[in-house]
């Protein structure tokens, strides 16, 4: 019985410590300035919808060459984004094309049931951990597809374990005028910079950053 | 030739295709000076040919890698409420009439079409009001749609992350 009590107390203690660390990571990430070391490596979560991919490449197109290298992470089932990424990278200035493409299992299909979504997200998480732990990006940039969630969670985990500070940036899709996507609702409390593109959402989500339409 | 381009994206929207090739709708289009109708029907089961609709020059296809040319050559675009189609038409500066599919009322994609309508960037109707809308529409009230400014995002992020 003593052993069981010890285990329970240890688990509760670890859980509270985890929550405290998570709180610290979220607060400090908002002040962390990776740009001061020169370059900012970016992990980009790429969705398999034409809209998501178009929007994220528009955002990346505006970023300077300081945001390098760029690590694109796609769902395994995505067939179309890789061509767009290569086309985008070759359109950048000479010498500013340090990038790689990685694939992880899809977290969730549209309209997938809740229970199987949890399973597939956990599966995606298992692949995300070694990938993000190896890349240790300064910044994770995402805009909505299911690939975002496991990647952002692992980004936070890197911070919680004290291995690397990762800034999480989320840009909600232009299509979301009145309501956030499911990914948006999950990541709203867990990201450092959360952008919305319409005033109605800024009013509903006070922590969101509103700069008007940015894609 | 003044051309109308109808697009349904990757969806199936038979009601729209049937409504636009109906004799009443075709007559209204011709009265307004349109001489050519191009239909992109996606997954739809209705595939009109010049046999089924002989009163106007007609071209029908399911998909193309890019509909940029069709949009460029059109004088009026009639589209389902999909965000991609709307934004493509608006970015090309073309007058846009969005037809809402009553069967997909809870689709969040309607949010964008509704907002763009309320900002006077596009006109809005349903299949049953299509002909009436075509007859009375005033395209001159449409406001030009300006593209988003990703530079504002970059400036913000540079400052936030301390990038020089």
């Amino acid at each position: 019985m003593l052993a069981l009590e010890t285990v329970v107390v240890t688990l509760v203690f670890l859980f509270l410590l985890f929550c405290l660390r998570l709180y610290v990571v979220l607060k400090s990430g908002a002040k962390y300035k990776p740009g001061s070391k020169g370059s900012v490596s970016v992990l980009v979560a790429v969705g398999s919808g034409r809209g998501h991919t178009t929007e994220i490449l528009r955002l990346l197109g505006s970023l300077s060459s300081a945001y390098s290298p760029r690590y694109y992470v796609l769902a395994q089932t995505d067939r179309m984004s890789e061509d767009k990424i290569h086309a985008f990278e070759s359109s950048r200035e000479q010498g500013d094309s340090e990038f790689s493409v990685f694939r992880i299992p899809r977290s969730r299909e549209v309209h997938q049931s809740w229970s199987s979504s949890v399973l597939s997200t956990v599966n995606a998480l298992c692949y995300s951990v070694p990938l993000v732990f190896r890349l240790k990006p300064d910044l994770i940039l995402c805009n909505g597809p299911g690939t975002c969630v496991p990647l952002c969670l692992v980004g936070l985990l890197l911070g919680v374990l004290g291995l690397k500070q990762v800034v999480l940036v989320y840009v909600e899709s232009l299509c979301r005028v009145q309501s956030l996507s499911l990914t948006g609702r999950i990541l709203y409390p867990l990201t450092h910079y959360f952008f919305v593109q319409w005033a109605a959402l800024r009013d509903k989500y006070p922590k969101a950053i509103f700069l008007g339409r940015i894609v | 030739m003044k051309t109308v381009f109808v697009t349904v994206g990757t969806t199936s929207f038979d009601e729209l295709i049937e409504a636009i090739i109906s004799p009443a709708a075709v007559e209204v289009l011709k009265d307004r000076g349109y001489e050519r109708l191009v239909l992109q029907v996606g997954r739809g089961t209705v595939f009109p040919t010049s046999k089924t609709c002989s009163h106007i020059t007609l071209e029908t296809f399911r998909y193309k890698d890019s509909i940029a040319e069709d949009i460029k050559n059109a004088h009026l675009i009639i589209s389902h409420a999909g965000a991609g189609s709307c934004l493509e038409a608006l970015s090309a500066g073309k007058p846009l009439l969005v037809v809402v599919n009553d069967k997909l009322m809870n689709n969040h994609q309607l949010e964008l079409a509704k907002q763009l309508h309320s900002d006077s960037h596009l006109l809005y109707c349903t299949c049953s009001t299509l002909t009436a809308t075509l007859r009375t529409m005033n395209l001159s009230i449409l406001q030009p749609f300006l593209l988003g400014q990703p530079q504002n995002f970059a400036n913000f992020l540079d400052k936030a992350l301390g990038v020089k």
Side-chain angles (χ1 to χ4, degrees):
Chain A
M1 284 299 106
L2 191 62
L4 181 63
E5 282 166 7
T6 314
V7 166
V8 169
V9 166
T10 312
L11 285 176
V12 168
F13 172 76
L14 283 175
F15 177 71
L16 290 174
L17 184 63
F18 179 87
C19 291
L20 179 68
R21 284 292 305 157
L22 184 61
Y23 175 79
V24 167
V25 163
L26 287 171
K27 279 278 176 251
S28 63
K31 297 185 206 112
Y32 175 47
K33 297 205 181 299
S36 54
K37 60 176 172 63
S39 70
V40 177
S41 62
V42 189
L43 189 152
V44 184
V46 183
S48 37
R50 179 179 51 127
H52 281 303
T53 308
T54 307
E55 288 195 28
I56 203 99
L57 291 179
R58 281 269 290 164
L59 291 169
L60 281 171
S62 69
L63 297 179
S64 73
S65 51
Y67 292 83
S68 188
R70 292 175 287 281
Y71 309 118
Y72 295 90
V73 182
L74 280 56
Q76 261 156 15
T77 45
D78 183 341
R79 271 163 292 185
M80 135 322 267
S81 299
E82 196 159 352
D83 290 338
K84 293 212 159 124
I85 292 167
H86 285 283
F88 165 74
E89 286 288 342
S90 29
S91 74
R92 286 188 77 93
E93 278 174 33
Q94 288 288 21
D96 176 36
S97 240
E98 219 196 313
F99 76 100
S100 344
V101 179
F102 304 90
R103 286 181 184 271
I104 58 173
R106 189 117 183 218
S107 305
R108 180 175 179 264
E109 306 283 334
V110 179
H111 302 313
Q112 189 178 333
S113 76
W114 187 88
S115 49
S116 68
S117 297
V118 170
L119 281 174
S120 47
T121 303
V122 169
N123 186 36
L125 260 172
C126 294
Y127 280 80
S128 305
V129 171
L131 179 63
V132 180
F133 269 53
R134 177 162 54 98
L135 297 176
K136 293 202 177 70
D138 296 312
L139 173 68
I140 296 183
L141 177 64
C142 46
N143 71 338
T147 30
C148 300
V149 175
L151 293 170
C152 285
L153 292 179
V154 180
L156 284 176
L157 186 63
L158 273 177
V160 162
L161 295 175
L163 296 170
K164 172 88 179 75
Q165 243 180 328
V166 181
V167 180
L168 301 185
V169 176
Y170 182 91
V171 180
E172 185 60 285
S173 167
L174 187 64
C175 301
R176 292 303 193 156
V177 179
Q178 301 286 341
S179 61
L180 284 190
S181 59
L182 177 61
T183 311
R185 277 178 274 146
I186 293 171
L187 293 178
Y188 176 67
L190 298 174
T191 46
H192 300 108
Y193 300 98
F194 190 97
F195 292 84
V196 294
Q197 303 193 54
W198 296 96
L201 285 175
R202 171 203 55 192
D203 300 336
K204 286 180 191 158
Y205 296 94
K207 278 195 334 157
I209 301 160
F210 174 68
L211 302 174
R213 287 189 275 119
I214 50 177
V215 298
Chain B
M1 271 208 275
K2 255 180 93 172
T3 303
V4 178
F5 177 54
V6 179
T7 173
V8 305
T10 54
T11 68
S12 160
F13 198 179
D14 290 338
E15 295 85 351
L16 169 57
I17 302 300
E18 279 164 350
I20 196 68
I21 60 163
S22 69
V26 170
E27 198 181 317
V28 170
L29 287 178
K30 287 169 80 172
D31 284 345
R32 295 198 69 139
Y34 297 103
E35 299 162 290
R36 186 164 158 254
L37 185 56
V38 178
L39 306 174
Q40 181 266 317
V41 302
R43 287 187 293 127
T45 55
V46 176
F47 197 97
T49 60
S50 39
K51 283 205 193 83
T52 40
C53 176
S54 55
H55 309 286
I56 192 167
T57 307
L58 188 72
E59 188 194 315
T60 309
F61 64 90
R62 286 200 181 276
Y63 302 105
K64 278 185 189 167
D65 281 342
S66 164
I67 52 170
E69 272 299 300
D70 294 286
I71 287 179
K72 195 170 131 204
N73 296 332
H75 299 82
L76 169 66
I77 312 224
I78 299 177
S79 166
H80 74 135
S85 306
C86 291
L87 291 171
E88 222 179 320
L90 290 176
S91 307
K94 300 291 178 175
L96 173 62
L97 168 60
V98 165
V99 183
V100 174
N101 189 345
D102 288 353
K103 306 219 173 81
L104 299 175
M105 277 322 254
N106 290 324
N107 189 347
H108 79 83
Q109 289 223 32
L110 277 184
E111 283 180 21
L112 182 63
K114 277 194 185 142
Q115 181 65 46
L116 293 172
H117 168 67
S118 102
D119 292 340
S120 298
H121 294 305
L122 53 85
L123 299 175
Y124 205 63
C125 71
T126 60
C127 293
S128 41
T129 55
L130 177 63
T131 305
T133 307
L134 288 170
R135 189 176 296 124
T136 57
M137 68 184 179
N138 179 3
L139 299 176
S140 60
I141 58 138
L142 293 178
Q143 299 293 310
F145 178 77
L146 301 168
L147 273 186
Q149 304 282 307
Q151 204 49 52
N152 294 342
F153 168 76
N155 294 343
F156 181 100
L157 208 60
D158 284 349
K159 204 159 153 235
L161 302 183
V163 171
K164 291 154 211 115

